Amino acid sequence: MCWSAQADLAAGGVVAGIGLVCLARAYRAGRPERLLLASLPLVLGVHQLIEAAVWSGADGDLPAPAAGLARTAWAVIALPLLPVLVPAGVWCAAREPARRRRLLPFVLLGLLVAAPLAVAVATHPVGAAEHGHTLTYAVGLPHPALLLTGYLLATVGALLLSGDRRLRHLGLLTGVGAVVCALLWRLAFISTWCALAALASVLLLRWTTTPPGDRPPDDRPSAGRRSHRRHADQGTP
């Protein structure tokens, strides 16, 4: 993951490959509304591959222009893209209008957070330096604590309130991972959390294969509720 160029290459290649499978399976299952979120493993896998180039730049193995381009590409995905992609993907995957209405604030929050992040990446040079076995990035963000709070609410919150058991698992894993990364790698939080999110995103492989009309077990009406509805329809008290 983020602990060396070699680890980034290995993890990024595996996750990106799984991302391609996720997209193919969502398409073959006839679930076009899931394609946006199904692209997340591919995006995060490519993100890890880009960070391998950032490592090479930090080690002096890349020319300065190429290293700068790699740092900027990494920051574009990590900062303005993810807080929009994740809640928008969850919103698209939700079929029920009521569920979409509940998820819409997370999409709007993601857009609100992404705007200043995009401006910061566009107007400030992105720096990266080795810190132990991790990379720390410097972008010059305004109000970083406030933006980070909105960032995590938009991404993790949308997953937790998606109404889908598998997406809630992904949200729980990335939410707990954010706390762990903040405690263990405070200076390299965004890098380590993105690496963890990349690995966690492979959970979407199972999600993309759910056939149309099917629901995870905890979202289906229980046998007792179905029986009660059947008797009610027949006029049985």
Side-chain angles (χ1 to χ4, degrees), residues 97-117:
R99 179 70 61 182
R100 285 192 164 188
R101 285 195 295 272
R102 285 193 289 269
L103 290 170
L104 186 58
F106 294 97
V107 179
L108 298 177
L109 177 60
L111 290 169
L112 185 64
V113 169
L117 294 177

PDB file of all heavy atoms in Angstrom, residues 97-117:
ATOM      1  N   PRO A  97     -37.131   6.167  -4.354  1.00  0.00           N
ATOM      2  CA  PRO A  97     -37.093   7.641  -4.282  1.00  0.00           C
ATOM      3  C   PRO A  97     -36.857   8.159  -2.864  1.00  0.00           C
ATOM      4  O   PRO A  97     -36.127   9.137  -2.676  1.00  0.00           O
ATOM      5  CB  PRO A  97     -38.470   8.058  -4.809  1.00  0.00           C
ATOM      6  CG  PRO A  97     -38.890   6.926  -5.695  1.00  0.00           C
ATOM      7  CD  PRO A  97     -38.352   5.690  -5.046  1.00  0.00           C
ATOM      8  N   ALA A  98     -37.453   7.512  -1.864  1.00  0.00           N
ATOM      9  CA  ALA A  98     -37.278   7.969  -0.484  1.00  0.00           C
ATOM     10  C   ALA A  98     -35.820   7.816  -0.056  1.00  0.00           C
ATOM     11  O   ALA A  98     -35.271   8.692   0.634  1.00  0.00           O
ATOM     12  CB  ALA A  98     -38.187   7.180   0.457  1.00  0.00           C
ATOM     13  N   ARG A  99     -35.202   6.729  -0.440  1.00  0.00           N
ATOM     14  CA  ARG A  99     -33.791   6.519  -0.098  1.00  0.00           C
ATOM     15  C   ARG A  99     -32.916   7.545  -0.793  1.00  0.00           C
ATOM     16  O   ARG A  99     -31.974   8.072  -0.198  1.00  0.00           O
ATOM     17  CB  ARG A  99     -33.375   5.101  -0.497  1.00  0.00           C
ATOM     18  CG  ARG A  99     -31.911   4.769  -0.220  1.00  0.00           C
ATOM     19  CD  ARG A  99     -31.646   4.657   1.256  1.00  0.00           C
ATOM     20  NE  ARG A  99     -32.430   3.607   1.874  1.00  0.00           N
ATOM     21  CZ  ARG A  99     -32.397   3.332   3.164  1.00  0.00           C
ATOM     22  NH1 ARG A  99     -31.648   4.057   3.972  1.00  0.00           N
ATOM     23  NH2 ARG A  99     -33.145   2.361   3.668  1.00  0.00           N
ATOM     24  N   ARG A 100     -33.234   7.856  -2.036  1.00  0.00           N
ATOM     25  CA  ARG A 100     -32.449   8.862  -2.758  1.00  0.00           C
ATOM     26  C   ARG A 100     -32.579  10.236  -2.114  1.00  0.00           C
ATOM     27  O   ARG A 100     -31.613  10.998  -2.077  1.00  0.00           O
ATOM     28  CB  ARG A 100     -32.883   8.904  -4.222  1.00  0.00           C
ATOM     29  CG  ARG A 100     -32.377   7.735  -5.046  1.00  0.00           C
ATOM     30  CD  ARG A 100     -32.575   7.954  -6.515  1.00  0.00           C
ATOM     31  NE  ARG A 100     -31.770   7.033  -7.307  1.00  0.00           N
ATOM     32  CZ  ARG A 100     -31.633   7.086  -8.616  1.00  0.00           C
ATOM     33  NH1 ARG A 100     -32.264   8.048  -9.299  1.00  0.00           N
ATOM     34  NH2 ARG A 100     -30.885   6.219  -9.258  1.00  0.00           N
ATOM     35  N   ARG A 101     -33.760  10.547  -1.612  1.00  0.00           N
ATOM     36  CA  ARG A 101     -33.935  11.845  -0.945  1.00  0.00           C
ATOM     37  C   ARG A 101     -33.080  11.921   0.314  1.00  0.00           C
ATOM     38  O   ARG A 101     -32.524  12.976   0.632  1.00  0.00           O
ATOM     39  CB  ARG A 101     -35.412  12.068  -0.606  1.00  0.00           C
ATOM     40  CG  ARG A 101     -36.280  12.439  -1.800  1.00  0.00           C
ATOM     41  CD  ARG A 101     -37.617  12.984  -1.351  1.00  0.00           C
ATOM     42  NE  ARG A 101     -38.406  11.983  -0.647  1.00  0.00           N
ATOM     43  CZ  ARG A 101     -39.238  11.132  -1.232  1.00  0.00           C
ATOM     44  NH1 ARG A 101     -39.390  11.164  -2.558  1.00  0.00           N
ATOM     45  NH2 ARG A 101     -39.927  10.259  -0.530  1.00  0.00           N
ATOM     46  N   ARG A 102     -32.969  10.807   1.036  1.00  0.00           N
ATOM     47  CA  ARG A 102     -32.143  10.804   2.247  1.00  0.00           C
ATOM     48  C   ARG A 102     -30.660  10.885   1.918  1.00  0.00           C
ATOM     49  O   ARG A 102     -29.866  11.386   2.727  1.00  0.00           O
ATOM     50  CB  ARG A 102     -32.435   9.546   3.073  1.00  0.00           C
ATOM     51  CG  ARG A 102     -33.752   9.597   3.824  1.00  0.00           C
ATOM     52  CD  ARG A 102     -33.855   8.498   4.846  1.00  0.00           C
ATOM     53  NE  ARG A 102     -34.017   7.191   4.230  1.00  0.00           N
ATOM     54  CZ  ARG A 102     -35.193   6.638   3.954  1.00  0.00           C
ATOM     55  NH1 ARG A 102     -36.301   7.290   4.227  1.00  0.00           N
ATOM     56  NH2 ARG A 102     -35.251   5.439   3.407  1.00  0.00           N
ATOM     57  N   LEU A 103     -30.272  10.383   0.748  1.00  0.00           N
ATOM     58  CA  LEU A 103     -28.857  10.385   0.371  1.00  0.00           C
ATOM     59  C   LEU A 103     -28.431  11.683  -0.309  1.00  0.00           C
ATOM     60  O   LEU A 103     -27.235  11.969  -0.383  1.00  0.00           O
ATOM     61  CB  LEU A 103     -28.563   9.204  -0.558  1.00  0.00           C
ATOM     62  CG  LEU A 103     -28.609   7.821   0.078  1.00  0.00           C
ATOM     63  CD1 LEU A 103     -28.550   6.738  -0.990  1.00  0.00           C
ATOM     64  CD2 LEU A 103     -27.462   7.641   1.073  1.00  0.00           C
ATOM     65  N   LEU A 104     -29.386  12.447  -0.818  1.00  0.00           N
ATOM     66  CA  LEU A 104     -29.050  13.659  -1.558  1.00  0.00           C
ATOM     67  C   LEU A 104     -28.204  14.646  -0.745  1.00  0.00           C
ATOM     68  O   LEU A 104     -27.268  15.246  -1.297  1.00  0.00           O
ATOM     69  CB  LEU A 104     -30.330  14.335  -2.061  1.00  0.00           C
ATOM     70  CG  LEU A 104     -30.131  15.547  -2.965  1.00  0.00           C
ATOM     71  CD1 LEU A 104     -29.307  15.199  -4.198  1.00  0.00           C
ATOM     72  CD2 LEU A 104     -31.490  16.137  -3.377  1.00  0.00           C
ATOM     73  N   PRO A 105     -28.471  14.856   0.560  1.00  0.00           N
ATOM     74  CA  PRO A 105     -27.608  15.776   1.324  1.00  0.00           C
ATOM     75  C   PRO A 105     -26.136  15.373   1.320  1.00  0.00           C
ATOM     76  O   PRO A 105     -25.261  16.247   1.352  1.00  0.00           O
ATOM     77  CB  PRO A 105     -28.204  15.725   2.734  1.00  0.00           C
ATOM     78  CG  PRO A 105     -29.637  15.345   2.530  1.00  0.00           C
ATOM     79  CD  PRO A 105     -29.625  14.402   1.372  1.00  0.00           C
ATOM     80  N   PHE A 106     -25.852  14.069   1.262  1.00  0.00           N
ATOM     81  CA  PHE A 106     -24.460  13.630   1.238  1.00  0.00           C
ATOM     82  C   PHE A 106     -23.809  13.972  -0.104  1.00  0.00           C
ATOM     83  O   PHE A 106     -22.630  14.321  -0.155  1.00  0.00           O
ATOM     84  CB  PHE A 106     -24.373  12.125   1.501  1.00  0.00           C
ATOM     85  CG  PHE A 106     -24.797  11.735   2.888  1.00  0.00           C
ATOM     86  CD1 PHE A 106     -26.083  11.294   3.129  1.00  0.00           C
ATOM     87  CD2 PHE A 106     -23.924  11.841   3.951  1.00  0.00           C
ATOM     88  CE1 PHE A 106     -26.495  10.943   4.406  1.00  0.00           C
ATOM     89  CE2 PHE A 106     -24.302  11.493   5.236  1.00  0.00           C
ATOM     90  CZ  PHE A 106     -25.600  11.045   5.460  1.00  0.00           C
ATOM     91  N   VAL A 107     -24.585  13.879  -1.183  1.00  0.00           N
ATOM     92  CA  VAL A 107     -24.071  14.272  -2.496  1.00  0.00           C
ATOM     93  C   VAL A 107     -23.760  15.766  -2.505  1.00  0.00           C
ATOM     94  O   VAL A 107     -22.697  16.203  -2.968  1.00  0.00           O
ATOM     95  CB  VAL A 107     -25.083  13.927  -3.608  1.00  0.00           C
ATOM     96  CG1 VAL A 107     -24.549  14.363  -4.972  1.00  0.00           C
ATOM     97  CG2 VAL A 107     -25.377  12.426  -3.619  1.00  0.00           C
ATOM     98  N   LEU A 108     -24.688  16.562  -1.980  1.00  0.00           N
ATOM     99  CA  LEU A 108     -24.473  18.007  -1.934  1.00  0.00           C
ATOM    100  C   LEU A 108     -23.297  18.368  -1.033  1.00  0.00           C
ATOM    101  O   LEU A 108     -22.508  19.263  -1.361  1.00  0.00           O
ATOM    102  CB  LEU A 108     -25.747  18.702  -1.453  1.00  0.00           C
ATOM    103  CG  LEU A 108     -26.981  18.517  -2.355  1.00  0.00           C
ATOM    104  CD1 LEU A 108     -28.210  19.187  -1.727  1.00  0.00           C
ATOM    105  CD2 LEU A 108     -26.718  19.053  -3.749  1.00  0.00           C
ATOM    106  N   LEU A 109     -23.171  17.665   0.096  1.00  0.00           N
ATOM    107  CA  LEU A 109     -22.034  17.914   0.985  1.00  0.00           C
ATOM    108  C   LEU A 109     -20.724  17.566   0.285  1.00  0.00           C
ATOM    109  O   LEU A 109     -19.729  18.299   0.412  1.00  0.00           O
ATOM    110  CB  LEU A 109     -22.181  17.095   2.265  1.00  0.00           C
ATOM    111  CG  LEU A 109     -21.023  17.194   3.264  1.00  0.00           C
ATOM    112  CD1 LEU A 109     -20.832  18.632   3.736  1.00  0.00           C
ATOM    113  CD2 LEU A 109     -21.256  16.262   4.454  1.00  0.00           C
ATOM    114  N   GLY A 110     -20.715  16.458  -0.451  1.00  0.00           N
ATOM    115  CA  GLY A 110     -19.509  16.085  -1.188  1.00  0.00           C
ATOM    116  C   GLY A 110     -19.109  17.147  -2.200  1.00  0.00           C
ATOM    117  O   GLY A 110     -17.925  17.478  -2.335  1.00  0.00           O
ATOM    118  N   LEU A 111     -20.094  17.690  -2.903  1.00  0.00           N
ATOM    119  CA  LEU A 111     -19.801  18.761  -3.861  1.00  0.00           C
ATOM    120  C   LEU A 111     -19.292  20.012  -3.153  1.00  0.00           C
ATOM    121  O   LEU A 111     -18.372  20.684  -3.637  1.00  0.00           O
ATOM    122  CB  LEU A 111     -21.064  19.093  -4.661  1.00  0.00           C
ATOM    123  CG  LEU A 111     -21.526  18.024  -5.658  1.00  0.00           C
ATOM    124  CD1 LEU A 111     -22.920  18.366  -6.184  1.00  0.00           C
ATOM    125  CD2 LEU A 111     -20.541  17.910  -6.816  1.00  0.00           C
ATOM    126  N   LEU A 112     -19.893  20.324  -2.005  1.00  0.00           N
ATOM    127  CA  LEU A 112     -19.486  21.505  -1.248  1.00  0.00           C
ATOM    128  C   LEU A 112     -18.045  21.373  -0.752  1.00  0.00           C
ATOM    129  O   LEU A 112     -17.273  22.334  -0.773  1.00  0.00           O
ATOM    130  CB  LEU A 112     -20.443  21.697  -0.067  1.00  0.00           C
ATOM    131  CG  LEU A 112     -20.256  22.958   0.778  1.00  0.00           C
ATOM    132  CD1 LEU A 112     -20.522  24.203  -0.057  1.00  0.00           C
ATOM    133  CD2 LEU A 112     -21.185  22.926   1.993  1.00  0.00           C
ATOM    134  N   VAL A 113     -17.674  20.169  -0.325  1.00  0.00           N
ATOM    135  CA  VAL A 113     -16.308  19.931   0.145  1.00  0.00           C
ATOM    136  C   VAL A 113     -15.329  19.906  -1.021  1.00  0.00           C
ATOM    137  O   VAL A 113     -14.202  20.419  -0.933  1.00  0.00           O
ATOM    138  CB  VAL A 113     -16.247  18.608   0.935  1.00  0.00           C
ATOM    139  CG1 VAL A 113     -14.808  18.195   1.199  1.00  0.00           C
ATOM    140  CG2 VAL A 113     -17.010  18.733   2.253  1.00  0.00           C
ATOM    141  N   ALA A 114     -15.755  19.321  -2.140  1.00  0.00           N
ATOM    142  CA  ALA A 114     -14.853  19.149  -3.282  1.00  0.00           C
ATOM    143  C   ALA A 114     -14.447  20.482  -3.906  1.00  0.00           C
ATOM    144  O   ALA A 114     -13.341  20.598  -4.451  1.00  0.00           O
ATOM    145  CB  ALA A 114     -15.507  18.257  -4.333  1.00  0.00           C
ATOM    146  N   ALA A 115     -15.332  21.488  -3.842  1.00  0.00           N
ATOM    147  CA  ALA A 115     -15.037  22.767  -4.500  1.00  0.00           C
ATOM    148  C   ALA A 115     -13.765  23.423  -3.961  1.00  0.00           C
ATOM    149  O   ALA A 115     -12.843  23.708  -4.736  1.00  0.00           O
ATOM    150  CB  ALA A 115     -16.240  23.696  -4.383  1.00  0.00           C
ATOM    151  N   PRO A 116     -13.641  23.669  -2.652  1.00  0.00           N
ATOM    152  CA  PRO A 116     -12.389  24.275  -2.169  1.00  0.00           C
ATOM    153  C   PRO A 116     -11.188  23.348  -2.310  1.00  0.00           C
ATOM    154  O   PRO A 116     -10.059  23.820  -2.473  1.00  0.00           O
ATOM    155  CB  PRO A 116     -12.685  24.583  -0.694  1.00  0.00           C
ATOM    156  CG  PRO A 116     -13.816  23.700  -0.328  1.00  0.00           C
ATOM    157  CD  PRO A 116     -14.623  23.534  -1.561  1.00  0.00           C
ATOM    158  N   LEU A 117     -11.407  22.029  -2.244  1.00  0.00           N
ATOM    159  CA  LEU A 117     -10.303  21.096  -2.444  1.00  0.00           C
ATOM    160  C   LEU A 117      -9.767  21.192  -3.868  1.00  0.00           C
ATOM    161  O   LEU A 117      -8.548  21.178  -4.102  1.00  0.00           O
ATOM    162  CB  LEU A 117     -10.748  19.669  -2.138  1.00  0.00           C
ATOM    163  CG  LEU A 117     -11.109  19.362  -0.677  1.00  0.00           C
ATOM    164  CD1 LEU A 117     -11.597  17.930  -0.543  1.00  0.00           C
ATOM    165  CD2 LEU A 117      -9.928  19.608   0.242  1.00  0.00           C
TER     166      LEU A 117
END
